[in-house]
Amino acid sequence: MYTYKPVDYFGVDDLLTDEHKIIRGSVRDWVNRSVIPIIEEAAQKHEFPMHLFKELGEIGAFGPFIPEKYGGAGMDYISYGVIMTELERGDSGVRSAASVQTSLVMYPIFEFGSEKQRNKYLPKLATGEIIGCFGLTEPNHGSDPGSMETKFTDEGDHYLLNGAKMWITNSTIADIAVVWAKDKNGIVRGLIVENGMKGFTAPETTGKWSLRASVTGELVFDNVKVPKENLLPNVKGLKGPLSCLNSARYGIAWGAIGAAMDCYNTALNYALERKQFKKPIASFQLTQKKLAEFLTEITKAQLLAWRLGELKNQGKVTPAQISLAKRNNVKMALDIARESRQILGAMGITDDFPMMRHMMNLESVITYEGTHDIHLLITGHDITGISAFE
Ligand code: TGC
Ligand code: FAD
């Protein structure tokens, strides 16, 4: 029987509004009901449970901060954060589905799209009726997206798109892809590419040990004719995709706490029940040290996320602050997943418990949306004014 007791050692709940708690409660119930019972099998089978898309739409996980006029919920960023925490307690792949749809597809269409594009796509993305993906990374350009090779030319009544994207969440199941490509002047622009356009294929990437309950693949463009009305008109340059990443990284800073809390909670329960040398293993100092460190790190991450949310709500957050929080909170969760698995001994390697799955998932989370080291360099740049990227 799955029992979950979230961590609130410093009364962070008191910093949330009743609305935040109601939203969190309904997503928590949904995760308990719809994700926890099926997620281990989905991860073992290396497949995303497709019916969850519609349910994620129903619980308001797609576009919570997008205005209601476009099908969103018009909520604040702390609401978005608490939703991400609950989803990632279930699985990073489920949180990924919501992150990509919300921050990487709905956000750019809302922020940089035409009114026609907003009305055409956003309401259907909000309900999960259509699925979106985001194409920035390429086979030869991951951390350095500014060097991308995917390009498009103006052919009068349409654009012609050529190139390839790699490691794209939901690529094979997406109805639309927000694709970043260079124009003839080398300026990065966003294009909405629809599934079914001639010359557009999306092969799946198989054999992942991480994020197994999430679809990953490529996007290949071979002379794809893209209607002119599919260009995102209101942004030019790398700041377009990087702004989307700010939103997704923000969500991950909150999400990772959910995975960490699930591991902590499981380890604590196990340690209180499991006996060795005639005593619960929770009575040994070495186990207590681990549990105390987990609680300390989760509490620090919660406070960081909450303050980040306040700054974002006030429109004051900087990309570098988001990088710091994403980097810290994901590493915290990965460390807790690894260490908490040890508390379970051999049992910790099975799918009776969530640690191995969270741990393997978090290896992707610490890599995507900017690697751990890239975020460190962003902080280094921010405090010294000197870029160490090149
Ligand atoms: P740089 O010269 O520093 O900047 C180029 C232009 O972009 C602006 N800018 C930003 N704007 C908004 N938000 C940010 N965070 C920004 N960072 C930079 C900057 O002001 C400049 O604007 P302008 O107007 O002066 O041209 O760029 P750089 O080429 O040196 O690269 C900087 C670097 C390395 C930090 C950046 O490219 C980076 O973050 N690299 C990591 C790549 C990354 O995170 N990829 C993620 C792909 S998507 C993904 O992983 C989805 S996972 C989905 C899931 O959850 O399943
Ligand atoms: P590289 O950039 O080749 O980096 C390799 C190593 O070199 C890293 O350790 C990195 O930190 C280090 N490194 C690179 N540059 C420097 C430097 N200047 N200084 C010091 N060290 C450096 N992308 C999308 O566009 N859309 C998606 O939906 C998406 N989903 C993903 C899903 C999964 C499961 C995964 C694993 C990735 C996904 N990505 C997606 C791609 C992800 O964003 C990239 O993997 C990530 O940005 C790193 O790029 P890379 O893998 O090419 O590594």
Side-chain angles (χ1 to χ4, degrees):
M1 170 66 182
Y2 179 79
T3 50
Y4 173 60
K5 193 161 172 290
V7 176
D8 189 22
Y9 205 62
F10 265 52
V12 179
D13 267 15
D14 295 345
L15 302 170
L16 303 179
T17 63
D18 288 344
E19 196 187 347
H20 295 144
K21 289 180 202 162
I22 290 168
I23 294 156
R24 185 180 62 182
S26 72
V27 179
R28 183 171 293 166
D29 290 347
W30 178 79
V31 168
N32 288 342
R33 201 172 56 244
S34 294
V35 178
I36 303 294
I38 62 167
I39 198 64
E40 297 293 348
E41 192 181 341
Q44 290 282 12
K45 287 186 175 165
H46 203 326
E47 63 189 26
F48 184 81
M50 286 299 289
H51 67 279
L52 294 188
F53 266 103
K54 204 159 163 292
E55 295 187 26
L56 281 162
E58 282 163 6
I59 61 164
F62 294 152
F65 56 79
I66 298 290
E68 290 176 66
K69 180 179 168 195
Y70 301 110
M75 295 187 224
D76 71 353
Y77 288 101
I78 291 187
S79 305
Y80 179 43
V82 298
I83 292 172
M84 295 294 117
T85 303
E86 291 308 316
L87 295 182
E88 196 143 4
R89 172 174 66 88
D91 191 77
S92 300
V94 177
R95 195 268 309 136
S96 252
S99 288
V100 171
Q101 189 93 338
T102 298
S103 287
L104 301 182
V105 180
M106 295 179 75
Y107 170 81
I109 293 174
F110 172 67
E111 201 63 32
F112 309 129
S114 65
E115 198 53 27
K116 195 171 165 198
Q117 291 167 343
R118 289 170 163 190
N119 288 319
K120 180 173 177 189
Y121 298 111
L122 291 178
K124 288 183 180 165
L125 287 161
T127 57
E129 185 183 337
I130 62 170
I131 299 171
C133 70
F134 176 88
L136 180 64
T137 306
E138 300 189 350
N140 296 325
H141 309 285
S143 299
D144 177 21
S147 298
M148 70 175 69
E149 294 163 56
T150 301
K151 58 180 190 292
F152 65 98
T153 50
D154 189 335
E155 302 294 322
D157 63 342
H158 64 270
Y159 298 118
L160 210 53
L161 179 66
N162 278 289
K165 300 288 176 180
M166 200 176 175
W167 298 113
I168 307 306
T169 299
N170 292 341
S171 77
T172 68
I173 54 171
D175 300 283
I176 62 167
V178 171
V179 176
W180 300 92
K182 285 182 177 168
D183 68 12
K184 72 172 188 326
N185 299 316
I187 312 264
V188 173
R189 302 296 303 265
L191 297 152
I192 303 170
V193 178
E194 296 190 7
N195 188 5
M197 285 181 176
K198 197 158 171 280
F200 172 35
T201 47
E204 186 167 1
T205 301
T206 53
K208 290 181 299 165
W209 286 118
S210 175
L211 274 191
R212 288 174 61 84
S214 171
V215 178
T216 314
E218 296 168 50
L219 303 173
V220 182
F221 313 107
D222 180 11
N223 283 322
V224 181
K225 270 187 179 181
V226 181
K228 285 209 148 165
E229 63 185 22
N230 284 29
L231 181 80
L232 296 176
N234 299 324
V235 74
K236 285 183 184 172
L238 201 56
K239 65 173 180 290
L242 291 179
S243 306
C244 306
L245 298 186
N246 293 336
S247 180
R249 291 165 177 174
Y250 168 83
I252 292 172
W254 282 85
I257 299 169
M261 289 205 288
D262 195 30
C263 292
Y264 166 76
N265 186 67
T266 307
L268 177 60
N269 288 341
Y270 188 89
L272 289 167
E273 282 173 17
R274 172 75 174 168
K275 288 196 175 107
Q276 288 295 289
F277 302 96
K278 303 188 184 65
K279 286 169 156 179
I281 58 170
S283 64
F284 302 127
Q285 285 185 352
L286 287 174
T287 308
Q288 290 190 8
K289 177 174 187 300
K290 287 189 180 73
L291 293 168
E293 298 279 17
F294 299 164
L295 181 75
T296 307
E297 292 307 316
I298 289 170
T299 302
K300 282 153 67 179
Q302 285 176 316
L303 290 163
L304 193 57
W306 175 80
R307 179 63 188 151
L308 193 74
E310 283 281 294
L311 291 170
K312 194 153 171 61
N313 276 344
Q314 293 162 14
K316 290 201 267 188
V317 77
T318 67
Q321 287 170 329
I322 295 173
S323 280
L324 187 149
K326 189 264 183 185
R327 179 174 187 273
N328 182 80
N329 289 9
V330 175
K331 180 67 163 54
M332 172 281 300
L334 180 54
D335 288 345
I336 289 178
R338 286 172 179 159
E339 283 280 302
S340 64
R341 193 217 57 77
Q342 297 204 43
I343 293 181
L344 272 68
M347 287 308 289
I349 70 157
T350 70
D351 65 6
D352 288 339
F353 296 95
M355 277 82 159
M356 279 295 277
R357 180 172 47 80
H358 282 309
M359 184 178 92
M360 294 193 296
N361 283 343
L362 288 160
E363 291 291 345
S364 282
V365 183
I366 204 165
T367 300
Y368 68 31
E369 298 282 358
T371 67
H372 193 61
D373 284 349
I374 287 295
H375 288 295
L376 176 109
L377 294 179
I378 290 172
T379 307
H381 185 193
D382 198 47
I383 58 184
T384 64
I386 304 166
S387 167
F389 291 111
E390 304 176 42

